[in-house]
Amino acid sequence: MADFILLMHDDNDDDPSPGAWEAYFAMLHASGVFVGGSSIGEGRAYRRSGVAGPASDHLTGFIRIEASDLAAARAFLVGNPVFEGGGTVEIRELPRD
């Protein structure tokens, strides 16, 4: 199994209902793939020298799951309130270094 992170973007028209999130998280838990997650608050970007670019304010949360590959991780977009509401969910593999 590989680790993946689902990054929720703030680009959907409607805010998902809390009930939609509860159902989605229940499905992830029941599937045994849920590892963790959180909403993401405001932040700042820093560099050791020079001027850092702006922090990405369009990311609103993340969910970490385990899946066999990217296609299997993508299957868990079904029911995701951001995805179902027309918003963007970015999936990234978390390599084991």
Side-chain angles (χ1 to χ4, degrees), residues 44-54:
R44 295 190 180 244
Y46 299 92
R47 287 180 64 133
R48 182 173 175 89
S49 62
V51 178

Short mmCIF file of all heavy atoms in Angstrom, two decimals, residues 44-54:
data_model
loop_
_atom_site.label_atom_id
_atom_site.label_comp_id
_atom_site.label_asym_id
_atom_site.label_seq_id
_atom_site.Cartn_x
_atom_site.Cartn_y
_atom_site.Cartn_z
N ARG A 44 1.95 31.52 6.25
CA ARG A 44 2.92 32.34 5.53
C ARG A 44 4.01 31.44 4.99
O ARG A 44 4.29 30.39 5.54
CB ARG A 44 3.53 33.38 6.45
CG ARG A 44 2.52 34.38 6.94
CD ARG A 44 3.21 35.52 7.64
NE ARG A 44 2.20 36.45 8.10
CZ ARG A 44 2.10 37.68 7.66
NH1 ARG A 44 2.93 38.12 6.76
NH2 ARG A 44 1.18 38.47 8.12
N ALA A 45 4.65 31.89 3.91
CA ALA A 45 5.77 31.16 3.31
C ALA A 45 7.07 31.86 3.69
O ALA A 45 7.12 33.09 3.77
CB ALA A 45 5.60 31.11 1.80
N TYR A 46 8.12 31.09 3.91
CA TYR A 46 9.41 31.64 4.33
C TYR A 46 10.53 31.05 3.49
O TYR A 46 10.45 29.92 3.03
CB TYR A 46 9.68 31.33 5.80
CG TYR A 46 8.65 31.91 6.73
CD1 TYR A 46 7.53 31.19 7.11
CD2 TYR A 46 8.79 33.21 7.20
CE1 TYR A 46 6.58 31.73 7.95
CE2 TYR A 46 7.84 33.76 8.04
CZ TYR A 46 6.75 33.02 8.41
OH TYR A 46 5.80 33.56 9.25
N ARG A 47 11.59 31.83 3.31
CA ARG A 47 12.83 31.40 2.68
C ARG A 47 13.98 31.85 3.54
O ARG A 47 13.89 32.87 4.23
CB ARG A 47 13.01 32.06 1.31
CG ARG A 47 12.12 31.55 0.24
CD ARG A 47 12.40 32.30 -1.04
NE ARG A 47 13.77 32.03 -1.48
CZ ARG A 47 14.08 31.71 -2.73
NH1 ARG A 47 13.14 31.63 -3.64
NH2 ARG A 47 15.31 31.48 -3.07
N ARG A 48 15.07 31.12 3.49
CA ARG A 48 16.26 31.50 4.26
C ARG A 48 16.80 32.83 3.76
O ARG A 48 17.22 33.68 4.54
CB ARG A 48 17.31 30.41 4.16
CG ARG A 48 18.54 30.71 4.96
CD ARG A 48 19.47 29.51 4.96
NE ARG A 48 20.71 29.82 5.61
CZ ARG A 48 20.93 29.68 6.90
NH1 ARG A 48 19.98 29.22 7.68
NH2 ARG A 48 22.09 29.98 7.42
N SER A 49 16.82 33.03 2.43
CA SER A 49 17.27 34.31 1.88
C SER A 49 16.35 34.68 0.72
O SER A 49 15.79 33.83 0.05
CB SER A 49 18.73 34.20 1.39
OG SER A 49 18.83 33.24 0.37
N GLY A 50 16.21 35.95 0.50
CA GLY A 50 15.33 36.42 -0.56
C GLY A 50 13.89 36.48 -0.10
O GLY A 50 13.55 36.20 1.04
N VAL A 51 13.04 36.84 -1.04
CA VAL A 51 11.61 36.99 -0.75
C VAL A 51 10.88 35.70 -1.14
O VAL A 51 11.00 35.23 -2.27
CB VAL A 51 11.02 38.19 -1.51
CG1 VAL A 51 9.53 38.31 -1.25
CG2 VAL A 51 11.75 39.47 -1.13
N ALA A 52 10.15 35.16 -0.22
CA ALA A 52 9.36 33.95 -0.48
C ALA A 52 8.09 34.32 -1.24
O ALA A 52 7.58 35.42 -1.12
CB ALA A 52 9.00 33.26 0.83
N GLY A 53 7.61 33.38 -2.02
CA GLY A 53 6.34 33.57 -2.70
C GLY A 53 5.19 33.52 -1.70
O GLY A 53 5.39 33.19 -0.53
N PRO A 54 4.01 33.83 -2.14
CA PRO A 54 2.87 33.82 -1.23
C PRO A 54 2.49 32.39 -0.82
O PRO A 54 2.70 31.44 -1.57
CB PRO A 54 1.76 34.46 -2.05
CG PRO A 54 2.14 34.20 -3.46
CD PRO A 54 3.64 34.21 -3.50
#
